[in-house]
Amino acid sequence: MRLRRVEVLGGGPGGLYVARLLALARPGCEVVVHEQGERGTTFGFGVGLAAGTQRKLEAADADTLRDIRAAGRRHDMTMDVGGAVARVHNDNLIGIARTELLEVLGRHAEKAGVRLEYGERRAVADVDAADLDADVVIAADGVGSATREAGDFGAGVEPGRGLFLWCGAAFALDDAVFAPVDTEFGTFVTHAYPYAEDRSTFLVETDEATWRAAGLDGAASDGGTSDTASLAYLSEVFAGHLRGHPLIGNGTRWQRFRTVTCERWSDGRVVLLGDAAHTAHYSIGSGTKLAMEDAIALVEALGAEPDRAAAFARYEAARRPSVERLQELARRSRLWWESFGSRTHLPVERLMVSYMTRAGNVPLDRFAATSPDVVGAALGQYAGVDPQVPDDLTGWVLDRSRRDAPPDALVVDAVVDDPWGPEADAAVAAARDTGAGAFRVVGPPERPAVLTRLDLAERLRTEVGGVVTVVGPPELRDDLAAGLVSGRADVVGFSS
Ligand SMILES: Cc1cc2nc3c(=O)[nH]c(=O)nc-3n(C[C@H](O)[C@H](O)[C@H](O)COP(=O)(O)OP(=O)(O)OC[C@H]3O[C@@H](n4cnc5c(N)ncnc54)[C@H](O)[C@@H]3O)c2cc1C
């Protein structure tokens, strides 16, 4: 379609990248980005970018990717439970400061002819519609998008149960580390990774009961920006990982992750992009990737279709399936992290396997191919034998599962969406009240239901005890085997 002028609301990664790609594809089109913050400042610390993202960015804009890579810091990933460490090598995972990423994207946008206007809030909700003199308005104004709230997008925002604090520290960790620390109030866990020579992100999570018991719900602050009392307390809690440095804040306050969904991504001439349209829990490190991939698809659609409505429809059709797939992975990942404190008794390698298989996205044999030492140790811990990875991994695991599933096991047939939600709480309480010593968890054969059943079974194992069998179809034997090694089930059974 013909484009004379495009306004982009929000100068985050999505907004800056779409502006750059559009200006490159449409030299005659005026592209303006409005960012409410000042140049060189932003929220948060560093973010992680994975290999898949980098491949797509390479194809869309190799120049920008080269500078992003140069500004990023590669790292491996480790899990550290009380000093026991499991390590996963990753060649293509980089951490990068949000300020650096935005600087690179802003510079490249300007080079392509984009006008960047900083320090002024601009949303369709806040300005007179006539002020938005544009054929297309791209709302890339983030998770709290005022434009989304003002428009007709069928939006939903669901807060998570857990709480997180996005902190940093002024030194570079050697690698990313997931580390739980038990306190008298409960468990705090950090997701920490290096993103610059002298900087690391320390994101800290906890559950509501721990947060309240530790007295962190009455946030003190340094004049309305960071929660200094929580930063001081957590600096003590994570002292062992901080090498004498304190945690630092950047507008750092406790939050619940907000999952945003929209039935429609466009309304008239306004189209949503990135977090404004959809969010995916930070634990899968994909929000930046989704925003930048949206940008690629939107520019392609605007170039391919004759009018706005057709272009927006093409953009949404191209992006919605992968966005929804990642949102579902992110939902499972969020639930796993929100219940993290219940599985820190696992040996660290089994915990790493549980982590890698938490969303059903990484098959156990693929993980074993890249990390045979971790998976070998986990198999050894599971089966009580010397660590090794057998050729037929799934068959080997299933052969070693306790096959003497108790015949008198109580059947648990609870179809729940959320294995840690109120319905699942009731199912676990009912199972406990029976006093049974064995449970057989059954339900529909579809994969999402089986994965959820494994999570419910894990709760029965840890909260009620006894021998827990999970039943699923033979074609999901890989998932069932991963469930055994991860401590989600004692026995698996096959439905016909
Ligand atoms: C704790 C945490 C950790 C994360 N870690 C990762 C990670 O490791 N990897 C990853 O890929 N993603 C991560 N994410 C997600 C990632 O930060 C977002 O998905 C990504 O920033 C989305 O980009 P965006 O451009 O859509 O929105 P944003 O980055 O939120 O940018 C929106 C911009 O719009 C501006 N704005 C808002 N309203 C207005 C207005 N009215 N007028 C003008 N400007 C406005 C804001 O100031 C902001 O600069 C994390 C998120 C969180 C919360």
Side-chain angles (χ1 to χ4, degrees), residues 5 7-12 32-39 41 115-128 130-133 138 140-141 146-147:
R5 188 165 195 274
E7 292 220 19
V8 182
L9 312 179
V32 188
V33 176
H34 304 277
E35 166 55 45
Q36 63 182 3
E38 295 301 332
R39 193 164 190 153
T41 64
R115 204 169 81 231
L116 303 181
E117 295 192 346
Y118 287 93
E120 189 206 343
R121 191 174 159 77
R122 198 162 166 93
V124 170
D126 300 338
V127 297
D128 193 323
D131 281 359
L132 293 168
D133 168 29
I138 302 174
D141 49 350
T147 297

Side-chain angles (χ1 to χ4, degrees), residues 135-342:
D135 310 305
V136 166
V137 176
I138 302 174
D141 49 350
V143 58
S145 170
T147 297
R148 179 188 67 231
E149 294 313 309
D152 178 20
F153 299 99
V157 181
E158 195 198 329
R161 272 191 287 273
L163 290 123
F164 73 89
L165 197 67
W166 200 354
C167 322
F171 74 102
L173 284 161
D174 300 328
D175 286 303
V177 58
F178 298 121
V181 174
D182 290 329
T183 69
E184 60 187 302
F185 307 112
T187 303
F188 292 88
V189 56
T190 184
H191 309 210
Y193 46 89
Y195 66 83
E197 275 197 355
D198 57 353
R199 284 285 185 279
S200 299
T201 291
F202 271 78
L203 191 139
V204 178
E205 285 191 346
T206 194
D207 59 274
E208 174 128 18
T210 305
W211 180 64
R212 289 194 188 282
L216 302 177
D217 50 335
S221 83
D222 57 0
T225 52
S226 288
D227 175 350
T228 49
S230 294
L231 288 170
Y233 173 72
L234 292 170
S235 295
E236 295 293 318
V237 169
F238 288 101
H241 297 278
L242 282 163
R243 302 185 197 162
H245 292 268
L247 287 174
I248 51 181
N250 176 18
T252 292
R253 306 185 73 82
W254 289 103
Q255 296 178 55
R256 294 174 203 276
F257 187 82
R258 287 172 287 170
T259 300
V260 172
T261 52
C262 287
E263 287 165 20
R264 296 167 290 285
W265 293 355
S266 59
D267 178 14
R269 66 184 159 147
V270 181
V271 62
L272 303 178
L273 180 145
D275 273 14
H278 47 70
T279 58
H281 192 249
Y282 51 76
S283 59
I284 63 164
S286 292
T288 308
K289 155 198 161 81
L290 288 177
M292 294 176 81
E293 288 174 3
D294 281 358
I296 296 169
L298 180 57
V299 172
E300 190 277 332
L302 288 168
E305 295 292 343
D307 61 53
R308 198 162 53 205
F312 290 173
R314 182 184 179 107
Y315 157 65
E316 190 169 330
R319 292 297 296 146
R320 193 174 272 284
S322 40
V323 164
E324 289 184 348
R325 193 184 74 82
L326 272 180
Q327 283 188 307
E328 175 56 10
L329 294 181
R331 186 184 73 90
R332 289 189 184 279
S333 181
R334 174 177 62 78
L335 293 174
W336 191 89
W337 280 109
E338 286 175 354
S339 54
F340 183 82
S342 69

